[in-house]
Amino acid sequence: MDLKQLLFKDAMIMDLKATNKEEAIDEMINKYYEVGVINDKEIYKEDILKREAQSSTGIGDGIAMPHARDKAVQRATVLFAKSEKGIDYDSLDGQPAYLFFMIAAPDGADNLHLQALASLSSLLINPTLVENLKKAQTPDEVQNLFDSAMKDKEEKERLEEEKEQAKKDSASENNSDKPYIVAVTACPTGIAHTYMAEAALKETAEKMGVDIKVETNGSEGVKHLLTSDEISRAAGVIVAADKKVDMPRFDGKHLVNRPVSDGINKPEELIQLAIDQKAPIFHSDSAATEEDSGDTKSFGSKIYADLMNGISNMLPFVVGGGILMAISFLVERFVGSESQWFIFFNNVGNYAFSFLIPVLAAYIAVSIGDRPALLPGFVGGYMASLAAASVVKSDSPAGFLGGLLAGFIAGLVIVWLKKVLKVLPHSLDGLKTILIYPVLGLLITGAIMYFAIDPVFAVINKAITAFLNNMGTGNAIILGTLLGAMMSIDMGGPFNKAAYTFAIGSFTATNSGTLMAAVMVGGMVPPLAIAIATTFWKNKFTESERQAGISNYVLGLSFITEGAIPFAAGDPLRVIVSCVIGSAIGGGLTQLWKINVPAPHGGIFVLPLANHPALYLAAVVIGAVVSGVIYGIWKPALAKK
C-alpha cells in the first residue's frame, strides 16, 4: 500500500476552521466519519484523547500527528489538514500547529499498513516537504508532493543500503574514521513517533558525519534489530523510548536514555552525548543507580510503577475469578449448593482468587529485579496468603499488605544480590540466573517472610479484618464515602486503583463484599453522570459529546469508569469535582444501608447478587443524578457561532 492510498483526497481539509485543539480534533474526526473511514466517532475520539493524555502529538515545527488504532477504523487512512492561522495544539515546542496528519489504523492492521504509516512519519522530518505542504492549495498538490518525497527517500535508502553493504564487504570497516553509534526508538502506540525519531536521528547523524544504526520497536514489531557485534562496536547507545525495550544487551555501554520526543526534537544533543561518551555507563547486572541507568524518574514514581506492574498483572485474576464466582452464586439460587454446576463455577473462581497475592507480589518483584525476582516474589506472596507460613503460628495470613511487602522485598533482594555477586568471575555468569539468584533469592526472601513479615502482618491483618467485620455504622459510612470519592478522583489512576485494591484486600480477607459495593458504585457514577448531563443539558454539549454521552450509559452500568475520561480531560475541574461528590454520596449510602455485593466486578449486572438489590440500584442512581445535575448546571452553555 503506497502513500497515495493512505492520503486519499476525500479525507483532506485544506482550510481547517478550528481555533483550538479540541475543535481541531472534532473537525478531523467528523471528516473521517463523513467519508466512512470510521464508523464510531466516540470510540475513535476516546482513543485519540487517551494518546494525547500520554503526551501531546503536536511534535513541533508546526506539525501535529494525532493517531489511534481501534475497532472503529474501517481502513488505514491519513487525514491531511491545513490551518492558515495556526492552532495552539500544546505542541512540544510551544508553537502553533499548521499541518495536521490524523492517522487512523484498523485494529489488527497488517504490516503493509504499518509500513506505509511509518514511511509517512519519516518523510515529515524533511523541512522542504513541510514548507511546500504549508503552501499547497489542492489535494492533488498534496499527493504529488508526497509522491516526489517518497521517491527521493527510496533512492536515498537504496544508496544507504549499498553503502552499508560495501562496509560489510570491506575488511577495513573497523578502520573507518567516522564515529559509530546505535540507537533504539519506541513510542507507546508505535505508529508515528517511533519512526519520526528514527528519521531525525539518521538525518542528523549524516549531517554530523556519524555512522548510526537505529532499531525501531513499533506496532509492526522490532525492525533493524541491533546485533551484539554492532552494539559492541558502538561508542555509545541512544534509547529514545516511552515504553520498555530490551536493555540488558547494553550492559557496560555509555547509554543516553531519553523520551522519544527528544529523539525527534533534540537528535544532535543525543548524538553528541553518545559519541563523546558523556552519558552514564549502563549496568544491567547490578543495582543500577538512577544516574547509572539515565533514568530521571523520582523515587515515588518508581514505587508507583512497581506497584502498578503488580496490580495490572493481578487484575485479570480478579475479574476472571470474580465473575465466575458471581455466576456460581447466581446458579446456586436456582440449583442449590450441591449442584455440580455451582461447585464447578465456584471452585474455578476460587482457584483464580488464590493466585491474587502471589501474582501481585511476583510482578512487583519483577518490576524491581527483573526475571530473577519472579520466583522469590511468587513464593513470598504465596507465604503471605497462608495462615501458617511463619515462625509464629497464627490463624490469620499476612494478607494483601504482607504480599505487597513480599514483592518489594524479593525485588530488592535480587537487586542486592546482583550488586554483591558482581565480584564473581565471569565464568560463573551462566550460573547466576539458573542457580545462584533463584536459590539465594528464595532463601533470603523466605527467611524474611517467615521470621519477620508474616508474624507481624498476620497480627496486623487480623486486626484489620476484625475492624472491618465489627465496624460501626459511622465508621463504615466514612470509609465507604472515602473509597467512593477515590474512585472518581482520577478515574483509573493511582487513587482509583488504591481504592479498588483496598476493597479487593478486604474482600479476600473477610469474604465480604460490603466495601466492593462502595467502590463499584463510586466507579459507576462518573460515566453515568456524564450521560445524564449530556441528556438533559443538550445545549451545553457538542453533537459528538452528546453521542458519547449515550455510550456512557452502557459504560457506567458496566463499571467502566474510564468512559468519563475524555470529558474530564476537556473540563477537569467541573467533571472531577461533580463526580467526586456523587461517588462519595453513593459509596457512603452503600455502607449506611449495609449493602453487600459478593463480586469484584460486573456493575449493574451483578445486581441479583446484592443482599439489597433495590438499595444497591438506588445508591447508583442517587450518586449519578447528584453528579449529573451538578455538572449539567455548572457547565456553561456553548458559545453561539
Side-chain angles (χ1 to χ4, degrees), residues 156-210:
K156 186 176 180 180
E157 288 177 346
R158 185 184 65 79
L159 294 174
E160 286 181 355
E161 288 177 1
E162 291 179 355
K163 185 179 178 181
E164 187 66 28
Q165 187 60 45
K167 282 184 179 182
K168 291 179 180 179
D169 295 338
S170 173
S172 61
E173 178 183 355
N174 289 331
N175 295 326
S176 172
D177 293 332
K178 286 186 177 182
Y180 177 70
I181 60 174
V182 295
V184 180
T185 63
C187 67
T189 54
I191 293 178
H193 290 62
T194 298
Y195 305 105
M196 296 190 75
E198 174 199 22
L201 288 168
K202 290 170 70 174
E203 183 174 316
T204 305
E206 183 178 1
K207 292 178 181 178
M208 296 173 66
V210 176

Side-chain angles (χ1 to χ4, degrees), residues 66 133 220 265 286 585:
L133 286 171
E220 56 181 320
N265 298 305
S286 67
I585 291 172

Side-chain angles (χ1 to χ4, degrees), residues 376 413-414 416-417 421 435-446:
V413 164
I414 293 299
W416 177 75
L417 285 173
L421 299 178
L435 178 63
I436 299 176
Y437 292 152
V439 173
L440 292 181
L442 179 60
L443 177 63
I444 297 171
T445 302

